[in-house]
Amino acid sequence: MLTEKQKELLLFIHARMQDKGVPPSFDEMKDALDLKSKSGIHRLITALVERGFIRRLPHRARAIEVIRLPENQTTPAVPKRAGFQPSVIEGSRSRELSTPPSTMIDSRTVSVPVMGRIAAGTPISAIQNHSHDIACPPDLLTNGEHFALEVKGDSMIEAGILDGDTVIIRRCDTAENGDIVVALVDQEEATLKRLRKKGTTIALEAANPEFKTRIFGPDQVDIQGRLVGLMRRY
């Protein structure tokens, strides 16, 4: 059973994806529902995920998929782009989506999927889809699922992470104080920073004095993975 606001948001997301092929931003959702802050949208999104109506796509910002609509519900008519099919899955169970698995090539190399770019500086809008694979030494990897990201920016230079490096990330949703993590902020921007937990707040610290530490509430930051290795070309 959905509240009126939850239903209104679900139908708005579905209609926008039918029309444009991408979900609306949090600001667009906030304006459409006449809410004062994006935190209210975050709570509605969380409720829709918990009830099985939508799901978030891992390792990507602003990536939402509509799983199902309320029974006997139709959405307002909106024009569809030619050739586009909305990503709606009928039924009550969602499909699992994960990064492509790492594959052992030989005893000295493992193929790791590269999932796009991550900001180490001014946040970029999203982590992209799987673009290609890289050969990685097995000793860079730990147990679990791994993916790689190309670094854009210089906010982590004092941690030895330079613009153009490729970082190896172990997928996880928790981290310890001091870990360098891939953090998704407000479901809209992805960044590579050092994690500090301070009471009920989360600090994302740069490793460059020219960049300020950013402080967030606990519901604003989702951990996507932890840094376990780095590769660099000269």
Side-chain angles (χ1 to χ4, degrees), residues 26 42 45 55-64 117-119 123-128 147 149 172-173 181-193 195 202 204 214 216-226:
F26 271 41
H42 181 82
I45 290 288
R55 68 185 172 98
R56 299 185 178 108
L57 305 183
H59 313 309
R60 295 170 57 192
R62 275 186 63 179
I64 297 173
R117 288 184 173 182
I118 182 71
I124 53 179
S125 60
I127 302 173
Q128 304 301 317
F147 59 97
L149 294 167
C172 60
D173 56 12
V181 301
V182 173
L184 192 60
V185 179
D186 287 331
Q187 294 296 312
E188 292 198 355
E189 61 182 50
T191 188
L192 185 72
K193 292 293 184 289
L195 178 74
I202 294 175
L204 298 179
R214 304 173 70 200
F216 300 96
D219 63 343
Q220 291 182 277
V221 177
D222 291 311
I223 304 302
Q224 303 288 290
R226 179 174 58 85

Side-chain angles (χ1 to χ4, degrees), residues 31-176:
D31 293 342
L33 271 66
D34 196 26
L35 297 180
K36 294 182 178 180
S37 71
K38 291 189 289 187
S39 61
I41 294 297
H42 181 82
R43 288 190 291 270
L44 292 172
I45 290 288
T46 299
L48 290 172
V49 170
E50 291 174 348
R51 287 161 176 76
F53 287 90
I54 65 174
R55 68 185 172 98
R56 299 185 178 108
L57 305 183
H59 313 309
R60 295 170 57 192
R62 275 186 63 179
I64 297 173
E65 184 174 42
V66 177
I67 303 299
R68 62 191 178 101
L69 297 175
E71 292 185 5
N72 302 319
Q73 180 67 56
T74 60
T75 55
V78 292
K80 296 184 181 180
R81 297 183 304 167
F84 174 71
Q85 294 296 325
S87 55
V88 179
I89 306 169
E90 300 298 336
S92 60
R93 297 181 62 186
S94 64
R95 296 177 299 176
E96 292 298 322
L97 178 68
S98 62
T99 55
S102 302
T103 304
M104 179 69 74
I105 299 175
D106 54 42
S107 60
R108 294 173 296 176
T109 54
V110 176
S111 175
V112 175
V114 178
M115 301 300 292
R117 288 184 173 182
I118 182 71
T122 303
I124 53 179
S125 60
I127 302 173
Q128 304 301 317
N129 290 320
H130 176 213
S131 58
H132 61 284
D133 295 342
I134 59 169
C136 180
D139 57 4
L140 280 183
L141 307 180
T142 59
N143 293 329
E145 181 182 345
H146 295 78
F147 59 97
L149 294 167
E150 297 172 351
V151 175
K152 180 69 174 178
D154 57 2
S155 72
M156 298 301 290
I157 56 176
E158 292 189 2
I161 303 171
L162 309 182
D163 183 41
D165 285 348
T166 298
V167 289
I168 308 301
I169 305 296
R170 181 185 183 275
R171 182 180 175 185
C172 60
D173 56 12
T174 60
E176 301 296 328

